[in-house]
Amino acid sequence: MWLVIAVASLCSHSPSDIELYQDNDTIVMLESVEIRSEKHELFTGSVKRQGIDHSIIKDNQHSDVATLLSTHTPVSVKSYGPGILATTSLRGGSASHTAFVWNGFNLQSPMHAQNDLSLIPVSFADEMEVQYSGGSALWGTGTVGGAVIMNNKPDFSPGIQAGYHSSATSNSDFHNSINTSWSNGVFATSLRLFHDHSKNQYFYINSRLPDNPKEKQEHAGFKGWGLLQETHYKPNNNNVFSIRAWHQQYRRKIPPTLFQNKAQARQDDDFLRLTAQWQGLFNNIRLDVKTGYFEDYIYYYDNTSIDSESRSQKQISEAELRYYLTEKNTFSMGFNHQYIKADVDDYSTEPSENKYTITASWRRKNEPENLIASLNFRQKFTKEYDVEPTPGLGITYKPLDKLAINANVARSYRLPTLNDRYWSPGGNPDLKPESGWTQDINFELSNIIISNTTDNLKSSISLDNASIAVFHRKMTNWISWTPGSGGLWTPQNILEVRSYGAEVSNTLAYKYTGKLNIRTTIFYSWTKSLYEETGRENDASIGKQLVYTPEHQAGININISAGSYRLSYNHRLTGRRYTTSDNSRWLEPYDLADISAEYTRKIMSVKTSVFIKIHNLWNRDYEVMQARPMPLRYFRAGLNINIGHN
């Protein structure tokens, strides 16, 4: 089923910017017109956000979003293996506590409130960003730990561009992707395609057998393809219309655990995402109207006893009015409607629901912008639950030009999913929504440059960004699936969970006479996420760390470029993860390293690069999830070709 839905987007600007739009019609002004979702930038500027550099996105065209996040951010990724289910955990939350936002739409599944990021190709992203801290006031249910934000940007610069990527690994993985774009300054259209075909026959250590033999994974192959088509129309500087269509299919074999002799399980994943937007700017008022249709289909079978189909449909319509009251004050109010429906073999019924939401935001900046305050409010109305109001307050103070102090306090919530309520047997229709408060503060230094010039030789060291953040969150009515009478697993509101911790990161860059560039990023996160109350007497899990939540994570990325050559090294460490709620069993800490080398050559308008990459350089034996062995060392080689004519 195909829908065409239009989203227009015109950047929000201060009143002084609006005057420039009216008085100047130059190319400079056109470059400021972008289709993007920047509400989170304007009204939650005090929340810690980590953008992933554009060059990193381009270097990982063969990867999925889960791999990108695990390599370049402190986000905890729970991976069951290459090409298999991968979810995220932010600041001690569960997989259903992280929103995945695509061009302003929260794509959390209504069935399980998760997103399998192993299915999202990096080649479909222009911008990637991680927003830390609770964001329910902005993105709604489920944004307890934070959000992963993916945007697509149109390019109205007249011309044609095309790109091709191809890579293969020693595990018989083959990835190919193509992207093309065209614009005449008024219309802009682009098409992206990818195709994966992988036997995924990697070697691993079977630690459950005597002498820990080295074995080869034979049942983990996958194949899939997807396309993302965008068309944008900008008749003038005050109106932009957009249509996007994203369709994808994957067929995957589910590898056995180390406790199984063999596996026959397979899973098919299909989804369709269609959106349309319009944004218009009228003096000091901006209107943003958008709608989207999202359909997910999962077919799981194991040739023995399980043969299950799941299909969900979600339709979202939203309107926002933004009013620039003065140069210091901006106000926004909006309305959102969602209709969800699911047809699942394992449900006791075929549920369908309507949900309505009103939002309001206010932002004030004091000249010369050394103090910015923002207030967000969301109220959801649904027949099934009485949802409490969801406010959020953020303040940014800049005592120095290079130093910013950001503080936030916000309410977060998560509604029970359709699986929680209707799964048969085991679903619990009497569940209450999860609810809690988040507080955090972030100290950030940026753009500090030290340069030296002698004998026409120039070198510089810059601290692009350095931050220290601390956070605290307490959630009540935490939903947990636990065994009940007769051993039947069922969800209950039995948990009270407190999470707190700190995150440190910095990015340093060294440049020498324009020929040598070294860029280094270091990060560390400490996360405590503890069971505080379960409702069970003498529960051994009280005061213990949540399962699969590492207390310590760290990483370093080093990128060295000299002329046409580039060398990249990535090393990351993940601490102990407990596999039982009483913390009596755990998975050992592990460290991983990747290294890659690339050579680039440009002839006229054709830019070509070849690269080779070694994954798991030091050949570590590790498990991210219990009894799910991960690959030992393997190799990847690839080719990139980009053609541009403006």
Side-chain angles (χ1 to χ4, degrees), residues 79-287:
S79 173
Y80 288 74
I84 312 302
L85 176 67
T87 59
T88 60
S89 173
L90 278 171
R91 291 185 169 180
S94 69
S96 57
H97 288 156
T98 303
F100 179 70
V101 181
W102 176 55
N103 295 310
F105 291 95
N106 186 346
L107 298 187
Q108 283 179 301
S109 168
M111 293 186 291
H112 46 69
Q114 300 178 19
N115 288 281
D116 185 353
L117 298 186
S118 71
L119 297 175
I120 309 300
V122 174
S123 60
F124 279 12
D126 292 323
E127 296 177 333
M128 289 292 304
E129 180 180 291
V130 179
Q131 176 183 303
Y132 299 85
S133 186
S136 293
L138 196 66
W139 302 121
T141 177
T143 321
V144 175
V148 177
I149 298 172
M150 172 175 154
N151 289 326
N152 298 115
K153 292 176 57 179
D155 185 356
F156 284 103
S157 302
I160 300 174
Q161 297 186 31
Y164 171 70
H165 170 89
S166 180
S167 65
T169 75
S170 54
N171 295 335
S172 299
D173 301 345
F174 301 93
H175 176 87
N176 291 276
S177 62
I178 298 173
N179 65 82
T180 61
S181 63
W182 169 87
S183 175
N184 64 357
V186 176
F187 286 94
T189 185
S190 67
L191 175 65
R192 311 183 204 206
L193 298 164
F194 83 90
H195 181 266
D196 283 331
H197 186 275
S198 174
K199 292 183 179 180
N200 205 18
Q201 295 178 329
Y202 57 86
F203 288 97
Y204 65 93
I205 300 298
N206 193 334
S207 59
R208 270 49 173 192
L209 294 179
D211 301 324
N212 297 330
K214 182 179 179 180
E215 297 184 348
K216 188 176 184 179
Q217 183 60 263
E218 299 288 353
H219 189 84
F222 57 87
K223 59 181 179 180
W225 68 274
L227 67 85
L228 172 60
Q229 199 281 330
E230 302 177 71
T231 299
H232 312 282
Y233 173 54
K234 180 174 63 63
N236 52 55
N237 285 343
N238 290 350
N239 291 275
V240 182
F241 302 84
S242 294
I243 300 172
R244 293 185 176 95
W246 180 1
H247 180 54
Q248 197 163 301
Q249 294 183 349
Y250 254 95
R251 306 291 181 261
R252 300 186 284 184
K253 297 178 181 178
I254 309 300
T257 68
L258 293 179
F259 301 116
Q260 296 174 301
N261 293 325
K262 69 174 185 176
Q264 297 177 324
R266 297 171 181 265
Q267 182 169 309
D268 298 344
D269 295 87
D270 297 358
F271 65 72
L272 177 63
R273 294 164 180 171
L274 303 163
T275 68
Q277 297 178 333
W278 164 69
Q279 284 190 343
L281 188 62
F282 308 96
N283 294 322
N284 58 344
I285 294 177
R286 197 189 84 169
L287 291 176

Side-chain angles (χ1 to χ4, degrees), residues 59 107-108 182 218 300 307 385 542 548 573 600 624 645:
D59 291 343
L107 298 187
Q108 283 179 301
W182 169 87
E218 299 288 353
Y300 180 89
D307 190 325
Y385 297 102
I542 300 296
Y548 290 113
L573 301 94
T600 302
V624 179
H645 178 68

